[in-house]
Structure formats: structure tokens, C-alpha cells
Amino acid sequence: MEQFENLHVKTPWVKNLGGVPAHLEYYRGSMYDKVAEIAVNYPNYIAYDFMGGKIRYKDFIRKVDECARALAAIGVKAGESVTICMPNAPQAVIMFYAVNKVGAIANMVHPLSSESEIEFCLRESASVVCLTLDQFYGKFANIRGKVQLRSLILTSIKDALSPIKRKGYYLAEGRKVPVNAEIVWWEKFLRDGTDYHGPYHVVREAGDPAAILYSGGTTGTMKGILLSNLNFNALGQQIIATNPMFKPGDKMLAVMPIFHGFGLGVCIHSMLSQGGRCLLIPRFNPQSYAKLLKKHKPNFIAGVPTLYEALLRLKTLKHVDLSCLKGVFSGGDSLSIELKKRFDKFLAEHNATIPVREGYGTTECVTASCLTPSHWAKEGSIGLPFPDTFYKIVKPGTEEEVPYGEEGEICLTGPTMMMEYINNPEETANTLRRHPDGLKWLHTGDLGMMDADGFIYFRQRIKRMIVTSGYNVYPSQIENVLDAHELVHMSCVIGVPDAYKMQRVVAFIVLKPDVKIPEDAAREILLAYCEKHVAKYAMPKEIHFRDSLPKTLVGKVAYRVLEEEEAKNYA
């Protein structure tokens, strides 16, 4: 407690942590060093499973070392950037830790990004080498002349399979690469490294830069977020501290992608740095996910709300036994109260003894920094801060803390807070601010509230707030109301321009699969329902029905897409 009191920061959550320590001693080495230590302590534990194969820690770290030697052989130096533009596949994980071992910075890019976005990420990071799948070769061929890549390494999913499985494996989306293409294939890249006999382990400290992740940040424009070894290693320790039921060897179904903080930080590094077992899934679809749940019986699953919404639709999960689960986590987007109730009911009906635990985080802090504790949940809350992580709520646009129970901007600080937005000192200064208490705080751009027990409540992005006739309307609150109706599977509420009101409220709804009534009748029922539960000024003025809602590349509901569509309609 003393270290908190000396900082003069209010910490009402500390008394409610239920045995979780408020302070931890953090590992001072690199990410590679931490995983190498695990490989010594648990050499025969499984590090990851992939498409029927599995790799033990001792063999995994050997593959990482081979890859690091190959990187040094092609001249990658400490502090340089190496882009990994891959789905969740062994080559991506191996390369990530190999880049860390040689002291370089892993630049994590979504492989389904547009050519212009990939070019932006390569240029921003000044990447000298890139690893990607053969099927994405065309994108890189088109932008190669505009960036400074020294080497483009191509791989295929089959490169990670056993010889027997390779024979029967064909990647339908694969692309033929010209014979004279200026590339090196993964296996040749590794073979060429065996002739290198120079040093290839650069000692890096906790505060040294380690990775770049991309996010819209607090302003909605793409930014590279520079994160340190400490950021990732601290997260791993915090995840385990807040989940004391975890034991080395426990399995995590890693569906969240490696290029996203949630996937890389929670599903991969938090497991591999603590002796867990990653079940790597290169591409999500509900049917294959259901098969893996049945086959592998994971101990932990984590995902965005749309993952759980998709699983609820599956008839193939009707008889699945989920008694294996120790933790189910939701983050990355707001989990509606109604969806949580439905998925908790699903878990209970399938022998799970635990509910969904909602968390909150930002890529600027790798990912999660707050989680519902296992011993106490409050409806609508995203939980309590992680060890050594402080939250405060301030009046938007200021550094003035508001009283408990009052809404404002969520600010946080702790060992996972980013180093900077690369090449963007102005936005870094706007987001990381030194407060009068002497601490540097991350201004998240999110609206929320803290109660007197220290529980945090997320409302929404400040920029998502709808202002209609002078009133502030919070879409997530209306979505909670709509999602609770028996006709509604999921909803998204947006504001559209209005000459008189400034904005008016519009709802997009996906009806449950078994709903057979006409849309006009459903609209009438839902509007009448809203009149009972929603303030008059916040009432949806229009309800549109969709078979599905647009999603971002990581599975969040893409409300901005709907806003752009409606803006064109009303232009």
C-alpha cells in the first residue's frame, strides 16, 4: 500500500482486489529472454499447437534461435525494424521472438490491409525486412519500389506443417510468385543462416523498444504505437496475477490475431512468457472454432463480443462440454449487458463454472489494463485496474479529476503504457500528459466512470457520442436496451447529420435467426419498446434491419462504416 500512498493517487480498488497483489516486481530482460527462461524451466511443455502439429518449448526456442541467426546473417541490426505481416501461424511467432533476440523492432501489420496501408506501415517504421505469406506477394510487388525493404521473405502455411500434412495441403488463396521475383523463401532464409557464425543475441533491457502495433489511437487516424519489452512482459505478469487459477501447461485458444494487441499481448506473449500453451488459429470462422473447442478443451478463451455473438448462433455447440474452462474474457469492444447474460447462460448450460469476465484496454497500453475480478462482478462494469495500473476519470479536455460516479474521460498509467506514437510527437504529447500529481497519464479518448469501490465503467469513445437537440446521447446505452429485446440478436446505434437537431439517432439491427415477422411489424414493436426504456430525446428516429453488421479487421462492429454510409445518404 505504501507505494500507492506516496504517489498521492486515489486507489479505491486496492481494498477490493480479492487477493490479487496491487504491486508486482517486473522482469527486467527482453521478451525473448523471458520465453527462453520458460524453455529452460519447462522444456517438454507444449508451446503451441497448429493445424494438428505441436511444438515443445525446447524445440520452439531452437527454431527462434535459428531464425535470429538467419536475421543476423542478412544484416539486421539492433534498433532496425522488421515487418511481420502474417496471420496466427508458427512462422509469425518464431519471427517475432527472433526479431527481439537480435535487438530489432517487430512491426506488426495486418495482412489484409490495403496496399496503401501496408506502404504507410513500412514507411513509418523504416522496415528493412518483411515476412509475409506468398498469397500477399502481389501487394508487396506493387509497393516494393516505394519503400526501403532490403529483403522480402515469403512463406506458406504448409511451411509449418509436417511432411505428411504438406502433401495433402493446398492453399486455395495462394498466388503464384514469379520465378525471378526479388524474394527469399522462408526455408532458404533459415538454411542460409546456418553458415553465419557471428553474434546474434543482442542484450536488451526492459525499457528498450520492442514492437510497433497500429491503431486509430484517440483521433481515429492510423498511428504506429511503439511498445517496450517491459510493456509486454509486465502485461504477461499482470494477466497471470489477475488469474491465479492459471498453471503452466494451461491452454489458450488464440483466435485474436498476432498483429493486434489483444492477440499478441494476451493470447500469445502472456501464455508463452508464463509457460502456457497457445492453440494458434490462422483464420477465424465459427465452425472451425467450435471444432477446436471440442477437440482441444482449452482452459482459457478470449475474444471480442462479436466472437461470442457468433458462437451463440452455432447448433454444432449444442452438446459441447465446457467444464475445461478456467477463464473466458471479452475485450476490444463494449460487451452489452444482454450479450453477457446470454453467453453466461450458454456457459452454464455447457458445464462451465465461470462467467465471461469483461476487460478494457487500449493498444497504447498493449491491450488490457483492467479486468473484472473473479470474485466480484458489477453489472455493466469492466472491472478493476491491473497491478501497478492507476485509473482516474477527468473532465474531458482537462486534467481535472471528477468525483466518483461522475462521467468523464478515462485516463490511466502503468508499466504497460506505450513509449510514443512513432514520428508523431504532437499526437504523443496530446495523449501522454504529465499531471500535477507528477505521473504521466494516457488520455484514452474514452468516456467512463469510476465508482467508490474502484470499479470502472466504460461508456464509449468520446467521438462516438451523439449530440441531438443539445442532449448527449450514448449509443452503447441504447444498444443495451435494444439487445435486451427478444427479437434482437445485435444492434448498432449511430448519429446522422440533421439540419434541425444537429444529429438524429439511427439504429441498425440484426434480428434473431428464428424471427419470422415482417420488418415493418418488428420496427413498430421495437419503437414501442424503446419508448418505455429510452428518453424521448434519445429515441431512434429510424430503425434499419440488416442480415449482419459490418466488422473491422479484428471483428469489432464497424460503426464508422455505417456512419459513412448514412452521411452519403443524407449529403
Side-chain angles (χ1 to χ4, degrees), residues 16 32 50 61 78 85 145 149 165 177 203 214 221 227 238 286 317 326 415 442 475 515 549 562:
N16 298 316
Y32 167 83
F50 181 74
I61 209 69
C85 188
L149 279 183
K165 292 222 168 197
V177 179
V203 176
Y214 289 86
T221 55
L227 298 160
Q238 290 172 335
L317 285 178
K326 295 182 178 183
L442 170 68
V515 173
L549 296 176
L562 296 173

Side-chain angles (χ1 to χ4, degrees), residues 21 153 164 252 420:
I153 303 165
I164 294 174
M252 165 72 85
E420 64 178 11

Side-chain angles (χ1 to χ4, degrees), residues 117-150:
E117 288 171 331
I118 292 173
E119 181 186 341
F120 171 85
C121 296
L122 292 173
R123 194 187 303 279
E124 279 289 284
S125 63
S127 287
V128 295
V129 173
C130 177
L131 169 70
T132 192
L133 284 179
D134 52 358
Q135 70 187 91
F136 303 121
Y137 166 74
K139 291 182 181 182
F140 287 87
N142 291 338
I143 63 177
R144 187 74 181 268
K146 304 175 186 177
V147 295
Q148 301 299 313
L149 279 183
R150 297 200 300 259

Side-chain angles (χ1 to χ4, degrees), residues 227-239:
L227 298 160
S228 69
N229 286 290
L230 173 63
N231 293 156
F232 282 94
N233 284 333
L235 175 71
Q237 291 179 247
Q238 290 172 335
I239 293 289

Side-chain angles (χ1 to χ4, degrees), residues 378-430:
K378 291 192 178 187
E379 186 172 272
S381 170
I382 51 176
L384 302 175
F386 278 172
D388 301 297
T389 300
F390 307 125
Y391 270 66
K392 69 163 71 167
I393 311 298
V394 304
K395 186 177 178 182
T398 77
E399 297 168 4
E400 177 188 339
E401 194 165 0
V402 301
Y404 297 137
E406 189 172 312
E407 289 183 2
E409 182 181 14
I410 298 173
C411 293
L412 61 106
T413 189
T416 61
M417 189 168 65
M418 71 174 183
M419 300 177 74
E420 64 178 11
Y421 292 121
I422 58 173
N423 307 322
N424 202 332
E426 183 178 347
E427 191 58 37
T428 300
N430 286 337

Side-chain angles (χ1 to χ4, degrees), residues 362-376:
T362 65
T363 312
E364 287 81 357
C365 282
V366 187
T367 180
S369 54
C370 177
L371 180 66
T372 300
S374 56
H375 69 288
W376 187 11

Side-chain angles (χ1 to χ4, degrees), residues 165-330:
K165 292 222 168 197
R166 284 189 191 197
K167 290 181 180 178
Y169 183 82
Y170 296 93
L171 187 61
E173 298 87 352
R175 299 289 182 270
K176 288 185 178 179
V177 179
V179 175
N180 62 347
E182 193 181 345
I183 58 98
V184 59
W185 289 101
W186 172 254
E187 292 185 339
K188 184 179 187 304
F189 160 72
L190 294 176
R191 281 198 308 272
D192 290 349
T194 59
D195 295 328
Y196 177 79
H197 300 291
Y200 58 96
H201 186 187
V202 176
V203 176
R204 300 293 264 176
E205 297 181 353
D208 287 327
I212 299 169
L213 298 176
Y214 289 86
S215 168
T218 60
T219 60
T221 55
M222 196 174 191
K223 300 180 196 66
I225 295 167
L226 185 63
L227 298 160
S228 69
N229 286 290
L230 173 63
N231 293 156
F232 282 94
N233 284 333
L235 175 71
Q237 291 179 247
Q238 290 172 335
I239 293 289
I240 300 310
T242 52
N243 292 279
M245 72 291 291
F246 171 86
K247 297 291 183 291
D250 280 351
K251 295 179 280 189
M252 165 72 85
L253 198 51
V255 65
M256 293 302 294
I258 192 171
F259 45 79
H260 188 266
F262 198 173
L264 181 59
V266 173
C267 300
I268 294 177
H269 185 64
S270 289
M271 290 294 104
L272 295 179
S273 66
Q274 305 295 321
R277 178 173 176 174
C278 299
L279 308 173
L280 296 175
I281 304 175
R283 178 190 299 163
F284 171 75
N285 72 65
Q287 290 72 26
S288 62
Y289 191 93
K291 288 179 182 176
L292 291 168
L293 271 177
K294 291 178 181 178
K295 179 180 178 181
H296 289 287
K297 301 188 181 303
N299 307 109
F300 297 93
I301 60 175
V304 292
T306 50
L307 164 70
Y308 300 119
E309 173 266 322
L311 294 181
L312 286 174
R313 296 186 183 196
L314 288 184
K315 293 181 180 178
T316 54
L317 285 178
K318 189 173 182 180
H319 301 296
V320 69
D321 179 12
L322 297 178
S323 59
C324 55
L325 289 174
K326 295 182 178 183
V328 178
F329 312 108
S330 178

